[in-house]
């Protein structure tokens, strides 16, 4: 076989190239160790690392020429159209969803406080991802300032309790509306813009909100932030002793005090809200409104030719996305117990956008998975905390090469005519059957 | 002569210094097939864009005489805040495009369902909770979509992606989608472009059926003269943005000005 004869020189060349490139990359970083004003030479170290990288590369190349490796690379490169239409005969995923739901509900009873904290954070990012997915994934409007709505939700609870005496529950109900209102205020003047211009305007809006929060000392507390009251349930508090004039919940239920109850509560409410939002978003995809969003993403001119009011349709997408972001903000605030503007930087917007893009634009399952991965992964890799952003970058590049359409393939629902209409499908007597070939 | 459905009165369309249409006048009669022909760059598509509300004519007006009174297309699209080209469609003018504009990553049925957004229950809550009203509206919309798919011989492709259909079927799907908006007037921009002779014949049959069975008025831009002569009741010829001939196919075919415009010879040589 010809390929086998050429294999060894090819591998050798590849190994040499890999070794040189990795030496150039690794050499200055781990080969020279700073010591005060001078540095120590540890080039052996660097050469060893480069050798390991080369060995890895060789193993990978060797595996890739075997039939097994070819199959794997085939699977990886099969990004194809990325979209498939369901056949309508798929097995229902309801049992799996039920199991996941129950597992989610049971989580606080098995997880420790640290893990529960991560789970809450992951769910908050799920919520943010789902919200941004409506705007970017479904309606195709690139929004780089999504964190603004997150901030609106968080500050609503913080400042609302400070000035108006709002509690967790009232904030939870008001936040979607207020964030939606902000979304509308932002979107109305800018929706005539397309693509890049819209992205720039939203980026500016995100920064405006952050700067206002940072500089309006008298109202928002500026960089010092604002405290957030702990949550209550039917007036019962989760603190050891009642501070807000109610009774602590452990006294009401006659159980011993546990500081984790507050997190249990937040987690459970958040989990239910996330489930409700997932359900709503899934419904939206087969609803006229969701379809119009996607049609608008596909072709705005065609949409107008079909009588779709593109401005209002975009506006609704923006508002619903913003509402979801606002909800996430409330949970963030109540979980942290404190908000300040540093939580709402552009980096957050980029992270949420990364979640949506990694998950696959428009795919709900993908967004949820990506949100879980991107929040849990950094926690697992705490030792590499400094390289977190670097890992994100690598992940994004790799994804764009192998899975440009995201982790999860987008599927489209199938539609079938109703049984009553099937035999005689034409309301008008078909006198022109001869046309059919 | 029956009453006109659409009246184009003295329409002039300027883009900066370029005059795309100059003082165009014609009528589209109700229930007839009217063809708009002319050499490349004659201003046919610009005229179409004015009629379907994508452009606001610089001068003149375009009137649609519907059952619910007369509507000025230019007025609809310049209406403050809510105005826009979508109102022209809602008034009863549907269109297709010269270069096909389908929602390529959506299924064929979904393409047709988007077109029916006026009939479906768009309320957010009714959809999320799947109320009976919503389900009924949705069922009817799907049935209507299938009805049109069958008419266009596309029923077998219903649950495929629109973008993966062969070219000829994409053309038919675009017509089906336009029909789903229940228009009074359908404007087809070069529907036979890129079709083979068999498909063109099928298209002409489809157009005749639409006109006969669905009380539809058709306005079509087309370069395939065989098709135009076969199907149209009335032909308007544009050249350099102006109407040079207007009448029955026989009249237009024998009009020296039309022959001159198409063949580029002077009128004396034609005689």
């Amino acid at each position: 076989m010809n390929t086998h004869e050429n294999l060894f020189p090819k591998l050798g060349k590849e190994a040499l190239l890999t070794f040189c490139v990795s030496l150039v990359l690794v050499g200055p970083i781990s080969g020279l160790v700073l010591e005060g004003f001078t540095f120590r030479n540890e080039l052996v170290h660097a050469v060893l690392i480069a050798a390991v990288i080369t060995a890895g590369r060789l193993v990978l190349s060797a595996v890739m020429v075997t039939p097994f490796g070819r199959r794997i690379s085939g699977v990886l490169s099969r990004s194809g159209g990325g979209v498939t239409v369901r056949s309508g005969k798929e097995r229902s995923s309801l049992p799996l969803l039920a199991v996941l739901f129950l597992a989610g509900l049971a989580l606080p009873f098995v997880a420790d406080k640290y893990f529960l904290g991560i789970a809450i954070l992951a769910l908050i990012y799920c919520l943010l991802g789902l919200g941004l997915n409506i705007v970017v994934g479904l309606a195709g409007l690139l929004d780089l300032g999504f964190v603004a709505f997150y901030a609106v939700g968080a500050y609503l609870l913080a400042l609302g309790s400070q000035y108006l005496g709002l509690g967790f529950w009232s904030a939870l109900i008001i936040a979607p509306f207020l964030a939606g209102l902000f979304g509308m205020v932002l979107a109305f003047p800018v929706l005539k813009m397309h693509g890049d211009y819209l992205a720039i305007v939203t980026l500016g809006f995100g920064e405006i909100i952050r700067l206002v929060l940072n500089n309006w000392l008298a109202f928002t507390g500026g960089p010092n932030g604002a405290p957030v009251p702990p949550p209550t349930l039917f007036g019962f508090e989760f603190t050891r002793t009642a501070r807000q004039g109610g009774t602590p919940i452990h006294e009401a239920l006659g159980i011993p005090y546990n500081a984790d109850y507050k997190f249990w509560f937040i987690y459970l409410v958040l989990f239910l809200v996330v489930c409700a939002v997932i359900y709503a978003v899934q419904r939206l995809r087969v609803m006229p409104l969701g379809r119009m969003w996607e049609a608008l993403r596909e072709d705005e001119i065609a949409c107008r030719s079909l009588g779709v009011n593109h401005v209002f349709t975009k506006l609704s997408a923006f508002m619903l996305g913003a509402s979801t972001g606002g909800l996430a903000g409330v949970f963030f605030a109540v979980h942290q117990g404190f908000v300040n503007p540093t939580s709402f930087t552009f980096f957050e917007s980029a992270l949420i956008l990364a979640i949506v893009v990694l998950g696959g634009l428009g795919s709900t399952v993908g967004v949820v998975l990506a949100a879980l991965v991107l929040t849990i992964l950094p926690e697992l890799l705490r030792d590499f905390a400094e390289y977190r952003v670097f890992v994100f970058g690598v992940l994004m590049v790799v994804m764009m090469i192998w899975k440009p359409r995201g982790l999860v393939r987008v599927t489209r629902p199938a539609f079938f005519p109703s049984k009553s209409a099937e035999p005689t499908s034409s309301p008008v007597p078909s006198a022109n059957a001869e046309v059919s070939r | 002569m029956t009453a006109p459905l659409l009246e184009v009165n003295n329409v002039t369309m300027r883009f900066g210094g370029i005059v795309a249409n100059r003082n165009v006048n014609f009528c589209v009669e109700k229930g007839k097939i009217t063809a708009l022909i002319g050499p490349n760059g004659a201003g046919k598509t610009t005229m179409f864009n004015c009629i379907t509300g994508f452009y606001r004519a610089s001068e003149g007006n375009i009137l649609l005489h519907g059952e619910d009174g007369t509507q000025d297309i230019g007025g609809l699209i310049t209406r403050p805040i809510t105005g826009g080209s979508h109102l022209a469609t809602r008034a009863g003018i549907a269109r297709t495009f010269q270069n096909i504009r389908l929602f390529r990553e959506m299924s064929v049925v979904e393409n047709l369902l988007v077109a029916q957004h006026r009939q479906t229950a768009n309320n957010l809550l009714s959809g999320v909770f799947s109320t009976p009203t919503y389900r009924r509206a949705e069922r009817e919309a799907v049935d209507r979509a299938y009805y049109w798919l069958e008419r266009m011989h596309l029923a077998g492709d219903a649950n495929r992606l629109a973008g993966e259909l062969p070219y000829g079927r994409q053309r038919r799907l675009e017509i089906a989608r336009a029909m789903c908006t229940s228009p009074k007037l359908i404007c087809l921009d070069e529907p036979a472009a890129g079709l083979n002779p068999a498909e063109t014949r099928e298209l002409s049959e489809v157009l005749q059926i639409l006109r006969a069975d669905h009380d539809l008025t058709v306005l079509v831009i087309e370069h395939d003269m065989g098709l135009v002569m076969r199907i149209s009741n009335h032909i308007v010829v544009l050249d350099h943005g102006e109407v040079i001939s207007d009448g029955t196919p026989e009249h237009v075919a024998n009009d020296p000005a039309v022959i001159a415009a198409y063949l580029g010879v002077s009128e004396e040589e034609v005689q």
Side-chain angles (χ1 to χ4, degrees):
Chain A
M1 242 166 77
N2 204 8
T3 49
H4 264 285
E5 286 162 25
N6 292 339
L7 198 61
F8 287 103
K10 212 172 120 194
L11 277 184
K13 220 196 285 179
E14 203 177 85
L16 195 63
L17 184 72
T18 314
F19 186 75
C20 291
V21 169
S22 45
L23 202 59
V24 168
L25 283 178
V26 176
I29 298 174
S30 61
L32 305 171
V33 177
L34 278 180
E35 257 179 6
F37 293 106
T38 169
F39 55 82
R40 199 171 66 230
N41 189 343
E42 290 219 359
L43 273 180
V44 182
H45 199 168
V47 169
L48 273 179
I49 292 178
V52 169
I53 292 174
T54 311
R57 171 72 223 187
L58 277 181
V59 169
L60 198 65
S61 304
V63 168
M64 278 306 180
V65 293
T66 62
F68 174 71
R70 286 215 191 93
R71 214 169 59 224
I72 288 197
S73 67
V75 168
L76 283 177
S77 61
R78 195 184 56 199
S79 50
V83 184
T84 47
V85 186
R86 288 162 176 274
S87 62
K89 297 188 193 77
E90 282 90 354
R91 263 186 305 158
S92 162
S93 52
L94 210 60
L96 178 66
L97 289 180
V99 168
L100 283 179
F101 181 74
L102 290 178
L105 279 185
L107 185 78
F109 303 100
V110 291
D112 60 351
K113 188 179 165 190
Y114 169 68
F115 190 77
L116 205 57
I118 300 175
I120 290 175
L121 206 62
L123 285 180
I124 288 174
Y125 277 101
C126 271
L127 213 48
L128 288 168
L130 288 168
L132 190 63
N133 191 33
I134 292 177
V135 184
V136 180
L138 296 183
L141 308 164
L142 186 52
D143 183 353
L144 294 179
F146 193 68
V147 77
F149 308 119
Y150 187 35
V152 166
Y155 267 87
L156 170 74
L157 179 53
L159 300 181
S161 74
Q162 195 175 326
Y163 294 104
L164 305 170
L166 287 185
F168 169 68
W169 290 102
S170 37
L172 198 59
I173 291 164
I174 298 172
F177 292 99
L178 188 73
L181 191 72
F182 270 78
M184 191 173 90
V185 168
L186 162 69
F188 207 69
V190 304
L191 282 179
K192 287 216 182 329
M193 299 181 195
H194 296 270
D196 309 348
Y197 304 105
L198 183 69
I200 297 291
V201 173
T202 51
L203 177 64
F205 182 75
E207 287 299 289
I208 288 172
I209 293 273
R210 188 177 65 82
L211 289 173
V212 167
L213 292 176
N214 214 2
N215 291 304
W216 195 357
L217 271 174
F219 184 62
T220 65
N224 298 331
V228 177
T232 56
L233 177 65
F234 304 122
F236 299 126
E237 296 174 30
F238 294 93
T239 40
R240 186 183 290 274
T241 50
R243 277 189 227 136
Q244 297 174 73
T247 15
I249 193 156
H250 61 277
E251 279 177 19
L253 295 179
I255 48 176
Y257 172 73
N258 183 339
D260 293 354
Y261 288 153
K262 184 181 120 181
F263 296 103
W264 288 28
F265 167 73
I266 295 174
Y267 174 82
L268 288 175
V269 176
L270 178 58
F271 182 72
L272 293 178
V273 167
V274 169
C275 288
V277 169
I278 289 176
Y279 175 73
V281 172
Q282 278 304 91
R283 289 290 312 162
L284 270 169
R285 297 200 58 219
V286 292
M287 272 165 56
L289 187 62
R291 275 200 297 267
M292 280 196 273
W293 291 343
E294 296 197 71
L296 211 57
R297 175 193 70 199
E298 294 291 311
D299 196 325
E300 187 178 324
I301 291 183
C303 261
R304 279 157 61 189
S305 87
L306 297 174
V308 174
N309 187 335
H310 60 288
V311 174
F312 286 174
T313 310
K314 279 183 186 176
L315 202 62
S316 64
F318 231 94
M319 287 177 65
L320 278 175
S323 300
T324 316
L327 268 180
V330 173
F331 283 105
F332 176 75
V334 84
H335 178 226
Q336 301 285 321
F338 168 79
V339 287
N340 84 346
T342 49
S343 311
F344 309 107
T345 55
F346 172 68
F347 183 76
E348 290 295 303
S349 290
L351 183 63
I352 304 164
L353 193 63
I355 287 175
V356 174
V357 173
L358 281 182
L361 291 171
S363 160
T364 311
V365 183
V367 166
V368 172
L369 277 182
L372 295 181
V373 168
L374 283 194
T375 41
I376 293 174
L377 201 65
E379 294 299 332
L380 296 181
L381 299 176
R382 274 242 163 249
D383 300 340
F384 303 96
E386 292 140 51
Y387 299 107
R388 202 188 290 184
V389 182
F390 174 70
V391 170
F392 275 179
V394 170
L395 206 59
M396 287 297 251
V397 170
V398 169
M399 284 288 297
M400 287 303 109
I401 293 171
W402 276 319
K403 286 253 173 240
R405 307 297 299 264
L407 283 173
V408 178
R409 260 169 115 86
V410 177
T411 54
R412 309 228 50 105
F415 291 92
F416 297 99
S418 59
K419 288 286 168 282
S420 61
E422 214 155 11
T424 55
S425 61
S426 51
V428 179
S430 86
N432 302 283
E434 73 272 8
V435 189
S436 51
R437 289 182 284 189
Chain B
M1 184 162 173
T2 53
L5 178 69
L6 184 84
E7 250 182 278
V8 177
N9 295 323
N10 305 320
V11 167
T12 298
M13 185 71 210
R14 282 189 216 94
F15 296 101
I18 298 167
V19 183
N21 290 113
R22 193 193 305 276
N23 211 13
V24 174
N25 284 290
F26 66 88
C27 289
V28 176
E29 285 171 49
K30 195 166 166 35
K32 297 282 168 62
I33 297 182
T34 302
L36 196 58
I37 64 171
N40 287 329
K44 303 182 297 292
T45 299
T46 306
M47 197 62 241
F48 242 52
N49 284 338
C50 290
I51 291 172
T52 53
F54 277 82
Y55 294 156
R56 169 84 167 103
S58 315
E59 281 168 34
N61 58 22
I62 298 167
L63 300 177
L64 180 73
H65 301 291
E67 284 120 40
D68 38 351
T70 299
Q71 281 175 299
D72 177 16
I73 301 298
L76 287 181
I77 61 176
T78 49
R79 193 183 285 175
I81 300 177
T82 58
S85 47
H86 57 277
L87 290 182
T89 311
R90 294 185 185 184
I93 301 178
R95 74 168 293 176
T96 65
F97 294 87
Q98 192 171 349
N99 39 358
I100 302 175
R101 284 183 176 275
L102 290 171
F103 307 126
R104 301 179 60 87
E105 297 213 333
M106 298 174 76
S107 76
V108 168
V109 185
E110 282 179 301
N111 266 271
L112 302 189
L113 291 178
V114 170
Q116 299 183 46
H117 65 100
R118 300 282 287 162
Q119 282 111 16
T120 46
N122 293 344
N123 188 310
L124 195 63
L125 291 180
S126 71
V128 169
F129 296 113
S130 192
T131 58
T133 331
Y134 164 81
R135 281 206 301 268
R136 193 174 61 244
E138 201 70 351
R139 204 164 52 232
E140 284 168 5
V142 172
D143 286 347
R144 213 173 299 124
Y146 268 91
Y147 167 70
W148 281 112
L149 285 179
E150 233 138 80
R151 295 247 105 173
M152 297 289 167
H153 319 312
L154 289 167
D157 299 318
N159 285 311
R160 287 178 67 185
L161 285 189
E164 25 173 81
L165 293 185
Y167 187 82
R169 291 191 207 170
Q170 292 195 7
R171 282 261 171 225
R172 273 183 279 153
L173 176 57
E174 216 188 9
I175 297 177
R177 189 179 66 178
M179 287 309 301
C180 277
T181 62
S182 347
K184 298 191 202 66
L185 170 69
I186 184 166
C187 300
L188 306 173
D189 198 345
E190 301 200 13
L195 298 188
N196 64 32
E199 286 172 327
T200 308
R201 214 171 314 117
E202 202 179 317
L203 173 76
S204 72
E205 279 159 8
V206 165
L207 292 185
Q208 300 280 17
I209 292 165
L210 291 183
R211 187 181 72 86
D213 291 2
H214 297 277
D215 191 28
L216 191 71
T217 309
V218 181
L219 178 63
V220 57
I221 291 182
E222 191 46 70
H223 283 297
D224 183 336
M225 282 308 138
L227 176 68
V228 169
M229 291 300 162
R230 201 158 59 237
I231 63 168
S232 44
N233 309 99
H234 175 198
I235 297 180
V236 178
V237 189
L238 284 180
D239 190 23
H240 299 298
E242 293 176 65
V243 177
I244 57 169
S245 187
D246 183 348
T248 60
E250 295 78 38
H251 169 79
V252 167
N254 299 317
D255 190 331
V258 177
I259 297 168
Y262 268 90
L263 300 180
V265 294
S266 66
E267 290 183 25
E268 294 82 51
E269 285 176 75
V270 174
Q271 298 302 318

